[in-house]
Amino acid sequence: MKRYHPVLVSLHWLLAFLVVGGLVAGGFGLANTPNSDPFKLFSLKMHMSIGIAILVLMVGRLLVRLFTKKPPHADIGNALLNKGAAAMHYVLYGVVIAMAASGLAIAKEAGLFDIVFGSSGEALPVDFSHIAPRAAHGVLATALSLTIVAHVLAALYHQYIRKDSLFSRMWFGGR
Ligand code: HEM
Ligand code: HEM
């Protein structure tokens, strides 16, 4: 077994694109747009829709992963680091899911589903700073960004320093 299942490969790269996009657009765009800006409703609609899609796809990916055969763990040349790498993959699943869950909690507490997707016509609150899950969402965004940077550096280390063709495991081809 040389590669992950093609469904896992497709979902990995789609999720990588959506999660990095969500972090960049959320941190640089959404969080810096005041709730009084008329564009904010549209930004929230996009962000919330993509965030919910990420949650569904990430849980779906975890399920496909449980029920498909996968290649043996990649070897980084040190038993402890190998265990750490396997654990980091679960951390990635966990932080992405926690990120989306805290987003849903903000939306529930601020009544965003009615305001953004319904036609309640109610105004957005002045800001979200009084909502506890908003702070968690910000902290998780930093934690997720750092985890992704570590993940990418580890992948590059495998590919270009250990030269073990790690990327081919997360790509299409004979398994
Ligand atoms: C941004 C969000 C990302 C998430 C949430 C993510 C998540 C994961 C997870 C959970 C795995 C383990 C596969 C599994 O067991 O299910 C994995 C593997 C992998 N990822 Fe990512 N990843 C992301 C981005 C990236 C990026 C940007 C790169 C490359 C530049 C990358 C390269 C790889 C490679 C090469 C593997 C295969 C590792 C192996 O064979 O053990 N990932 N990723
Ligand atoms: C994994 C998926 C998600 C990612 C990567 C993500 C990313 C982000 C980021 C980076 C911020 C700005 C944080 C800061 O600068 O402190 C943010 C804010 C926010 N997100 Fe998410 N988010 C996700 C899912 C969701 C979901 C599912 C919802 C709601 C259904 C949501 C609702 C919000 C709200 C309401 C804000 C606050 C905007 C503001 O302060 O004006 N997010 N998100």
Side-chain angles (χ1 to χ4, degrees):
M1 175 74 44
K2 289 187 298 194
R3 300 175 207 270
Y4 286 91
H5 192 280
V7 172
L8 284 180
V9 173
S10 311
L11 284 175
H12 175 273
W13 293 112
L14 174 63
L15 276 161
F17 176 73
L18 293 177
V19 170
V20 172
L23 283 170
V24 172
F28 292 101
L30 188 65
N32 293 326
T33 308
N35 283 6
S36 54
D37 189 322
F39 186 64
K40 184 81 179 214
L41 268 187
F42 176 74
S43 299
L44 278 170
K45 195 179 269 182
M46 293 299 292
H47 183 81
M48 289 168 64
S49 308
I50 293 172
I52 292 167
I54 289 174
L55 178 62
V56 172
L57 293 174
M58 199 72 188
V59 172
R61 187 174 192 282
L62 199 51
L63 293 177
V64 177
R65 185 184 189 279
L66 290 177
F67 295 107
T68 53
K69 284 207 170 121
K70 50 190 171 300
H73 285 307
D75 181 23
I76 208 163
N78 172 298
L80 196 64
L81 285 177
N82 283 345
K83 283 209 173 109
M88 277 300 262
H89 288 161
Y90 287 105
V91 170
L92 270 167
Y93 280 104
V95 183
V96 171
I97 290 169
M99 184 86 219
S102 59
L104 287 173
I106 312 174
K108 186 169 180 286
E109 228 173 280
L112 291 183
F113 291 109
D114 281 345
I115 303 176
V116 173
F117 295 113
S119 45
S120 74
E122 251 181 85
L124 287 169
V126 176
D127 59 36
F128 300 115
S129 59
H130 58 291
I131 296 175
R134 173 67 184 86
H137 203 59
V139 172
L140 283 166
T142 307
L144 180 57
S145 305
L146 293 175
T147 315
I148 292 171
V149 169
H151 179 66
V152 171
L153 289 178
L156 294 176
Y157 174 77
H158 270 282
Q159 182 75 17
Y160 296 108
I161 301 197
R162 284 188 68 80
K163 299 191 195 307
D164 59 6
S165 303
L166 184 88
F167 276 71
S168 70
R169 291 159 55 99
M170 198 47 94
W171 200 246
F172 306 95
R175 297 179 71 211

